[in-house]
Amino acid sequence: MNAIAATSAVDIARTQSAVLSKSPSRTSFTSTSSSDKDASTSPTLFEQTGVDIDDAKAINTHSREIAMVDLSPEELDIAQALGDRASESIECVRINRCRMNCETFQLLVDALCKYELPCLHTVDISQNRVGGAQAGAALAKLLTHAPTIRFLSLGWNQLSLVDLKALAATGSGACSIQCLDLRANPLGTSHKLSSKKAKKHVESEDNIWVSALVAVMPNLTHVQMAQATIDDSSLVCLLHALTAKVSCLEYIGLEWLGLGSRLATVRSIMSGLVPADLATPVRSLHLNLAANNLGDGGVKIIAESGAMLTSLTLACNFITERGTGMLAKWLPSSGLLALELSDNYFGDQGITSLLVTDGRRQSAYSPYNQLTSLGLNSCCLTDTSLRMLTDALTYNWAPLASLRILRNNRMSPGAKVAL
């Protein structure tokens, strides 16, 4: 946990800032991400850095945040944390690492709902013990009382999708949530039913209420589920509902879900990204599948799916030169603007497969007119790869605005300068 939590939360904070200052036209998520940031699973969504804990606990009369961090459940007191400040000025409520369970959370929500909170846009209760149907009911009450909430961080708790069922009853479009963090939660387990008919009936009912849950959040742009425990049926049901009902969705984070051993689920996920017809425009969506041990088998499923999206992260997935060759054939029809392949140790052979689609001629570079960002950090590349990349860019292989080749220690400094 500590090793994973060591990564910085700066990327998520930038995302929050970008969404807050967002103009009516949507901004692509890919502009603020890299391989290191993509695989980030930082413990809190909006954690401040460089601030002493004792100072964070002190009440700042000018602060617009209610922050309670590293307290015992008995010390949690909304009235005391608010102090003399006007509740109308509060924009963020942050309760982290307080061992808060669902009963304590319910009491805090009841206390919060006694105040007017017209400016509240962020609620971060990550790293607690919140879970159960009571927690879902408390969340529904809070979101109904403060419909201005746009950033909801529930990571590292004990929540399941069923616990959020109460949100579906609030009505379509009832919430303004744009960023939803569900990382490291036990979101769902498979149904242990004796007959296929009974299982199909349960899955049909799940589809109905999950669709209703997603319909409550029509403004959703970012969903994070890294390290969550979730069964195949629930995962596919949720993702299909998201891609079908939320037109403004920009980012889905599915890191560390072990999808390499669940390739049928990968196929179902990608099927939800296949356009209905060729006239359908490519949706501006970043799908993060980092650290899933997909291998070349997973890449084959992705490349043959017919899916279309603008950004894909496949960092740390044990992809070889065979996988990069499959990606090369898929890229022209994929609609991808950004592709992240960092931490896959395919070496120079992988670059050859990615750049050369005609094995008979080493100069047969295939032009990818749309690709503007390519991540190749820590891929065991040498000067040979750099020369191939230089030649490819000379022949307008792709209009790359960002090429990341850090931590390839076999490259000479002179070759990097030449590129």
Side-chain angles (χ1 to χ4, degrees):
M1 176 68 186
N2 291 334
I4 296 171
T7 53
S8 170
V10 173
D11 183 44
I12 302 301
R14 285 177 181 169
T15 302
Q16 179 199 23
S17 176
V19 176
L20 280 173
S21 59
K22 200 184 229 187
S23 62
S25 60
R26 292 192 288 112
T27 304
S28 174
F29 183 84
T30 59
S31 62
T32 60
S33 62
S34 70
S35 69
D36 299 330
K37 296 172 185 176
D38 287 338
S40 172
T41 52
S42 49
T44 60
L45 187 56
F46 311 109
E47 185 172 13
Q48 295 177 347
T49 57
V51 179
D52 187 82
I53 292 178
D54 292 334
D55 293 339
K57 290 179 181 179
I59 297 175
N60 184 344
T61 56
H62 301 290
S63 174
R64 296 184 179 182
E65 178 187 67
I66 294 177
M68 293 180 279
V69 181
D70 290 318
L71 300 178
S72 66
E74 295 76 19
E75 294 177 288
L76 298 176
D77 190 323
I78 294 294
Q80 183 179 354
L82 182 61
D84 296 331
R85 292 173 293 175
S87 63
E88 291 81 2
S89 67
I90 298 301
E91 298 179 354
C92 174
V93 174
R94 189 161 63 92
I95 308 170
N96 305 134
R97 301 189 297 273
C98 293
R99 305 188 303 279
M100 175 175 62
N101 58 22
C102 62
E103 289 80 11
T104 305
F105 177 58
Q106 196 169 27
L107 291 174
L108 287 176
V109 168
D110 291 340
L112 276 171
C113 290
K114 294 177 182 178
Y115 299 95
E116 293 296 325
L117 301 166
C119 296
L120 183 62
H121 59 66
T122 298
V123 173
D124 181 357
I125 60 167
S126 56
Q127 288 189 288
N128 283 290
R129 301 172 183 174
V130 177
Q134 286 179 306
L139 278 171
K141 181 178 180 179
L142 179 59
L143 293 172
T144 302
H145 179 73
T148 54
I149 295 174
R150 285 173 280 167
F151 304 92
L152 184 60
S153 177
L154 307 173
W156 284 269
N157 275 289
Q158 297 173 7
L159 287 164
S160 70
L161 281 180
V162 177
D163 295 341
L164 303 178
K165 206 170 183 178
L167 293 178
T170 59
S172 180
C175 300
S176 301
I177 294 176
Q178 296 178 2
C179 298
L180 179 62
D181 183 1
L182 296 171
R183 289 176 291 180
N185 274 288
L187 294 179
T189 56
S190 58
H191 302 292
K192 296 182 179 180
L193 301 172
S194 56
S195 68
K196 291 184 178 180
K197 185 176 181 180
K199 185 176 180 180
K200 194 171 183 179
H201 176 71
V202 171
E203 289 178 353
S204 177
E205 289 185 343
D206 288 348
N207 286 335
I208 294 173
W209 72 259
V210 169
S211 295
L213 173 64
V214 171
V216 171
M217 301 174 281
N219 301 316
L220 204 56
T221 61
H222 293 69
V223 179
Q224 301 187 64
M225 291 186 285
Q227 294 180 275
T229 304
I230 184 168
D231 64 280
D232 298 342
S233 176
S234 298
L235 179 59
V236 171
C237 178
L238 177 59
L239 292 181
H240 281 189
L242 286 169
T243 54
K245 293 184 176 295
V246 184
S247 59
C248 56
L249 191 64
E250 295 180 6
Y251 177 82
I252 301 176
L254 302 177
E255 313 97 303
W256 300 94
L257 296 188
L259 295 177
S261 60
R262 304 154 65 184
L263 293 183
T265 302
V266 176
R267 182 177 286 105
S268 298
I269 291 171
M270 299 307 296
S271 69
L273 300 174
V274 178
D277 54 69
L278 295 177
T280 304
V282 180
R283 64 184 305 155
S284 180
L285 176 65
H286 178 182
L287 179 62
N288 191 342
L289 295 173
N292 272 293
N293 195 18
L294 292 175
D296 294 336
V299 170
K300 181 179 180 181
I301 290 173
I302 293 170
E304 294 177 353
S305 66
M308 296 182 69
L309 63 163
T310 55
S311 182
L312 177 64
T313 294
L314 293 173
C316 197
N317 269 301
F318 299 96
I319 298 171
T320 70
E321 64 273 14
R322 181 168 168 263
T324 59
M326 297 173 189
L327 288 172
K329 295 177 181 178
W330 174 57
L331 276 173
S333 61
S334 66
L336 283 178
L337 301 177
L339 177 62
E340 184 58 70
L341 294 174
S342 295
D343 297 293
N344 290 291
Y345 309 121
F346 42 69
D348 296 336
Q349 296 87 349
I351 295 300
T352 301
S353 300
L354 184 65
L355 298 180
V356 182
T357 56
D358 186 349
R360 294 170 299 176
R361 293 194 303 148
Q362 291 298 307
S363 60
Y365 297 114
S366 179
Y368 303 124
N369 297 326
Q370 79 280 6
L371 193 66
T372 59
S373 177
L374 180 62
L376 297 171
N377 297 330
S378 297
C379 289
C380 296
L381 307 184
T382 69
D383 290 356
T384 301
S385 293
L386 277 180
R387 286 193 293 270
M388 287 191 290
L389 286 167
T390 302
D391 291 343
L393 294 176
T394 302
Y395 288 99
N396 297 320
W397 175 75
L400 290 181
S402 174
L403 175 61
R404 298 174 293 285
I405 52 173
L406 299 175
R407 302 190 303 280
N408 286 290
N409 298 327
R410 299 179 183 178
M411 289 183 178
S412 64
K416 293 181 181 179
V417 171
L419 176 63

